[in-house]
Each structure stands twice: as C-alpha cells, then as structure tokens.
Amino acid sequence: MKKLFALIITFALCLSLCACGKSKETTPNPTEMGSSDTTDIVFNETEQSTSQQQSTEQKMHQEYVETYFIYAEEGAVVTWFDVNTGEFRYKWKCEFCGTTQNGETLGHSLTANGQSLNSGFVCTNSDCSMRGKSQSSIIKCNVNGEWVDVYD
C-alpha cells in the first residue's frame, strides 16, 4: 500500500514538474509591426509577469493525509483521540451495570484500519453481578484518507 502511494506521489510530482517548464517565445520587433500589435505585446508581457509572481508566491502540491477514528466496541468509553496521530485515552466500562472506572488509561495509539486494542478488567461496583469477574474491552480504529492541496 505504501509503495502504491509513493508511486502515485512520484507520478504526480513528475507531472507537476513537466507542467511548470515553459518554452520561451521570441517577441517580435516592435518596429516591424503596427502600433496596435505593440500594445498587445506589452499587455501580454504584463500578464505573464503577474502570473509568474503569483506562482512563485504560492506553490501548491498534493499530499495524502490519513485521519483516524477511534471507537470503543465493548467494555470501554473513548474519552479523547487525535485524528492526526491515532493516539487516544479511554476508561473501562462495565457492560452489565454501566459503571466506568475513575481514571483514564493513556498512551495508546492505533494507526491501521481495523486494528484493535483488546484488554481485560474487572468491575468494582459492589452492586454489580459481574463484580470481580473478568470482562473484556475492545477499542478499534477506522482510517480514512484523502488527497489535499498543500501550499508551501
């Protein structure tokens, strides 16, 4: 998959470099033409210099950007995640009584589509029928990507 993206980016870069190359046209001698032709040449040269200034001020290229969506499938509540890095925080949640743990679990990262974090915990609620029994939590990741225009 990474090789495919690298190939696509390389191809796009080559196309953009080819499009940037311009052939210089020779301008005719104003003494050999009428006055209206001379005005057209001056106007065209002004347009070209303005477009060259705009292209040098902002150069654009495309990059493939992945965004990560982290969600709890069971036994947990995702309290925070970063769409750019795939890092997240979560709390365990008992599926039977709905009690969530007091503190957050930190420092995890999921960066592949379908990747999951499976962990076990026990409910601490004294009124829960699952108190002290092992439960599982599953947190998963969905990855979306798109090509975006980036200005240098």
Side-chain angles (χ1 to χ4, degrees):
M1 189 73 155
K2 289 182 181 181
K3 288 182 181 180
L4 177 64
F5 291 133
L7 182 62
I8 291 171
I9 290 172
T10 305
F11 182 70
L13 180 62
C14 290
L15 286 178
S16 66
L17 289 175
C18 291
C20 290
K22 294 181 180 179
S23 62
K24 294 194 173 198
E25 297 178 10
T26 58
T27 55
N29 187 355
T31 58
E32 298 173 359
M33 301 182 304
S35 63
S36 64
D37 293 336
T38 307
T39 306
D40 290 340
I41 291 172
V42 171
F43 182 72
N44 287 338
E45 287 176 353
T46 306
E47 281 182 354
Q48 287 176 356
S49 66
T50 304
S51 66
Q52 287 174 354
Q53 287 174 353
Q54 290 173 349
S55 66
T56 57
E57 290 173 6
Q58 292 184 352
K59 292 184 179 179
M60 182 189 70
H61 66 278
Q62 288 192 332
E63 290 181 3
Y64 188 76
V65 177
E66 290 183 333
T67 54
Y68 306 100
F69 177 72
I70 310 296
Y71 65 97
E73 193 169 84
E74 72 175 60
V77 176
V78 175
T79 56
W80 172 86
F81 69 92
D82 186 346
V83 297
N84 298 317
T85 63
E87 294 179 11
F88 65 96
R89 298 180 195 144
Y90 68 97
K91 292 182 177 185
W92 284 313
K93 178 181 177 183
C94 177
E95 293 290 321
F96 294 94
C97 68
T99 302
T100 57
Q101 74 176 12
N102 291 333
E104 288 183 320
T105 304
L106 311 170
H108 294 282
S109 179
L110 298 175
T111 57
N113 200 28
Q115 186 179 12
S116 65
L117 170 73
N118 300 327
S119 63
F121 70 99
V122 293
C123 182
T124 57
N125 183 359
S126 59
D127 296 332
C128 182
S129 63
M130 290 298 290
R131 181 175 186 233
K133 296 179 182 174
S134 179
Q135 297 185 52
S136 66
S137 67
I138 301 172
I139 299 172
K140 291 196 172 185
C141 175
N142 280 341
V143 180
N144 293 317
E146 63 183 346
W147 288 94
V148 296
D149 294 334
V150 178
Y151 293 96
D152 294 335

